[in-house]
Amino acid sequence: MPEYEIKGATDAQNALLHEIANKFSVADTHLSELAHEVHVYLTNGLSSDTEPKGLPSRVSYIKSTISSDIRAAKKRSSMALGLTISTSTRRMKLASIKFAPGAPDIINKQVFHIRDNVDSAAKLCEEAAVHVAQFINTHGVHEPVPLGVTIDLPLEETSKCGGRVAEDSRACAGFLRNVDIAQGVDAALLRLHLPVRVTSTTNCVISSMVAAQHHFHSTSAALILNHGINAAYYEAPQKITKLADIALGASEARVAINTELARFGENSSVVQPTMWDHRVDRESANTGFHVFEKLVADKYLGEIVRNLITDFMDAQLIFARDTDVSTFSEPYTFFTSYMTIMEDTSDDLHEVGGLLEAGFNVQASYVDRQIVRALCHIVSMRAAKLVGAAVAGVVKKASEARDDQEPIVVSISGQLTEMNQPYVECTIKTAKRVAHALGLSEPVFNVLGEDGYTVGAALSSFSK
């Protein structure tokens, strides 16, 4: 019986399911081609920001020696704060990390929501300063302390502690474009007379890689699986021909690169979206951009599944004909978090049925439940394989930046690591298989969980 053959389903139901499964199938040869193209895009991005077949590959002032800087800080009593500004979820997260010789690390965290009336860079920076004041008052911070800031937008870092928000093709938080986040937050902190100063500014993927190095010193690459997707790695500065900072270019240490992997797929000859992917792209706020991200990221996976379900509905191949299915017609009502139902192994798929009833007021038959579960699995596994192949391309680039033949250590973080274990497992398995096909040593993966960015931002403040 084929993998997605549903016992008890009609021939028409199985035929449509098979058609979808075939269109979402990804051959190993295609995965290797995708990894190769990611590697090409990364290479081209080191020479120009405008290369049509290149990724932005934004250079950070964080260096691979950050792990040594952190170990040095742990030998003395020291403390740092980290601030995450998440424009996609409209949240700010603060964390403090305190080191003392011979004592375990002390970490405190707090989450704040960004108010709806925050609609300018000045208001955002003021909001950040207010939350910093609340945090240090709650945790009794009185001495001067450094603050590392990380944000989920692309940054053009101009120094270790400064960086302007670059153009963001996700079309969110446009009021932050060209704003120096460090300068704005520092000015707001000064107005409140707080003993806190910004000492580093990074993109979230860079701070997640720093957080990983705190636990696994040899980490050379990082992957974020969140509302969006991104990857970072350490590059030899001599290979970054577009690098304008002479001192950074002369560094013996490798420097962190924010690849902006989400933008892969634009002008690609390898990425092959299906008609359902094209539909999601066409109806998005940034049509034609972030093509790869729309195939694999948390923000879009549930919407792809919803579109597949509506095709079954339009063909009258799912749910009873008198069922009110109007909720399924509303975009983004099938959340990616719902896709955990593909792990339901109960005899009657009780979890699938409960979700469809609670979320959509639909009484689903056993066959209906099997169809929905299968669609979740098809979309999720296609995405995981594509991400795994892309990571293999990043691993190849990271390995070329090293002088040794040691395996590349990759950290994975983001909310998908906690809500969809099969996705993460398939990503890792695929990355290893494709890396082997590329003649690389098998990479090592460490899954950090949902949020390492904020602690990573604090740790970044120790960089020299």
Side-chain angles (χ1 to χ4, degrees), residues 43 46-47 235-242 397 400-402:
T43 302
L46 298 179
S47 59
E235 180 60 87
Q238 296 76 21
K239 295 184 179 181
I240 312 172
T241 56
K242 69 179 181 182
K397 196 73 190 74
E400 292 171 351
R402 296 179 63 102

Side-chain angles (χ1 to χ4, degrees), residues 140-285:
V141 178
H142 304 293
E143 71 276 13
V145 61
L147 171 67
V149 178
T150 192
I151 190 168
D152 62 346
L153 295 175
L155 281 179
E156 288 289 356
E157 294 187 32
T158 53
S159 67
K160 190 172 81 71
C161 50
R164 295 186 176 276
V165 175
E167 182 177 356
D168 177 34
S169 47
R170 284 192 183 97
C172 60
F175 60 79
L176 286 174
R177 189 174 301 165
N178 291 322
V179 170
D180 189 315
I181 296 295
Q183 190 177 72
V185 172
D186 246 351
L189 293 170
L190 275 171
R191 285 193 291 271
L192 295 181
H193 307 287
L194 299 177
V196 180
R197 293 296 173 268
V198 177
T199 58
S200 71
T201 314
T202 59
N203 177 270
C204 286
V205 71
I206 302 295
S207 59
S208 71
M209 187 161 63
V210 172
Q213 284 183 273
H214 183 213
H215 302 287
F216 310 99
H217 302 322
S218 56
T219 300
S220 295
L223 171 68
I224 286 181
L225 298 173
N226 238 343
H227 212 48
I229 181 175
N230 202 356
Y233 74 100
Y234 283 112
E235 180 60 87
Q238 296 76 21
K239 295 184 179 181
I240 312 172
T241 56
K242 69 179 181 182
L243 187 58
D245 189 305
I246 297 175
L248 193 61
S251 171
E252 294 183 4
R254 289 166 294 136
V255 298
I257 299 291
N258 167 19
T259 67
E260 289 196 38
L261 183 61
R263 293 184 61 171
F264 177 63
E266 300 164 22
N267 304 309
S268 169
S269 58
V270 175
V271 175
Q272 300 173 350
T274 66
M275 60 176 282
W276 299 278
D277 300 314
H278 286 302
R279 187 185 303 167
V280 170
D281 177 47
R282 186 182 69 248
E283 296 173 355
S284 69

Side-chain angles (χ1 to χ4, degrees), residues 3 52 178 187 235 277 291-292 308 345 361 372 460:
E3 182 179 1
N178 291 322
E235 180 60 87
D277 300 314
V291 175
F292 183 70
L308 294 173
T345 57
N361 197 29
V372 172
S460 295

Side-chain angles (χ1 to χ4, degrees), residues 129-141:
V130 168
H131 292 325
V132 170
Q134 293 171 333
F135 185 85
I136 64 175
N137 287 334
T138 299
H139 298 286
V141 178

